[in-house]
């Protein structure tokens, strides 16, 4: 269950860490570090509002939270820059779970195959990806977006992304841009329970 008021019940010093991380992200140019700071802030907020014991629990809870679903839909309908950023990000989907690729296809898979061939091999070998089911050109929903940004985070935090690789850079900075606009556009860090 999600309780947005939980964030405001945190010890003020703990809540201030989340806000400081968000400010650090806002002070960075588009970069991997901006996303790292922003994700840590978002992660702190989502951990507080869900009281989840694991990332999976917190992501599952937020993906299904009606208020967040509604806020996403409103931003998609009313904020052209947000909708454009989400559409550009979704054009790069699916995002493969890099650990799964390397486990099932080997470390050289990304260098040995172009993207269409790699995606075909991944489908045959049940490589994990986000969104789990994706049709190119579809309009993403909140759950798909959140889970895909989380996959980008996992790939980055586990050493599987490089700022020198164009696609990696676009995925990470795209995730950061969307997350920044979502947090600012919804004001979700300031929400209380209705």
């Amino acid at each position: 269950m999600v309780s947005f008021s939980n964030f405001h019940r945190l010890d003020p010093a703990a809540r201030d860490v989340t806000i400081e991380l968000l400010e650090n992200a806002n002070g960075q140019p588009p970069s991997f570090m901006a996303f790292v700071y922003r994700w840590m802030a978002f992660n702190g907020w989502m951990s507080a509002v869900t009281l989840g014991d694991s990332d999976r629990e917190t992501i599952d809870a937020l993906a299904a939270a009606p208020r967040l679903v509604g806020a996403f839909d409103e931003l998609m309908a009313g904020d052209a820059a947000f909708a454009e950023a989400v559409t550009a990000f979704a054009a790069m989907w699916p995002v493969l779970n890099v650990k799964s690729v390397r486990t099932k296809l080997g470390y050289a898979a990304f260098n040995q195959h172009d993207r269409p061939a790699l995606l075909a091999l991944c489908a045959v070998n049940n490589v994990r990806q986000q969104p789990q089911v994706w049709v190119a050109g579809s309009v993403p929903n909140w759950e798909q977006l959140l889970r895909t940004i989380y996959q980008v985070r996992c790939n980055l935090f586990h050493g599987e992304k490089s700022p020198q690789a164009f696609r990696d850079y676009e995925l990470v900075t795209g995730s950061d841009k969307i997350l920044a606009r979502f947090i600012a556009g919804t004001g979700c860090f300031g929400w209380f329970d209705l």
Side-chain angles (χ1 to χ4, degrees), residues 24-44:
N24 285 343
N26 291 337
Q28 299 284 321
S31 66
F32 280 31
M33 284 311 300
F35 180 61
V36 168
Y37 284 129
R38 196 170 327 278
W39 181 265
M40 289 190 319
F42 188 69
N43 192 80

Side-chain angles (χ1 to χ4, degrees), residues 14 16-17 24 48 55 73 79 82 84 91 94 96 103 106 109 115 125 171-172 192:
D16 288 349
V17 169
N24 285 343
D55 285 351
D73 291 343
D79 183 338
F82 179 78
E84 183 180 309
L96 301 171
T103 298
R115 180 124 174 111
N125 289 281
L171 285 168
V172 172
F192 288 84

Side-chain angles (χ1 to χ4, degrees), residues 87-151:
T87 300
F89 184 57
M92 295 185 281
W93 293 2
V95 174
L96 301 171
N97 178 310
V98 178
K99 282 187 169 186
S100 184
V101 171
R102 291 186 173 159
T103 298
K104 295 181 178 187
L105 302 177
Y107 272 73
F110 288 99
N111 296 325
Q112 291 175 333
H113 308 285
D114 63 13
R115 180 124 174 111
L118 179 62
L119 290 175
L121 279 170
C122 289
V124 169
N125 289 281
N126 296 315
V127 168
R128 293 189 312 263
Q129 69 178 36
Q130 288 296 338
Q132 290 181 357
V133 177
W134 178 245
V135 176
S138 298
V139 176
N141 63 35
W142 166 244
E143 180 177 1
Q144 291 170 323
L145 179 69
L146 179 62
R147 291 186 188 282
T148 304
I149 290 174
Y150 180 68
Q151 183 62 65

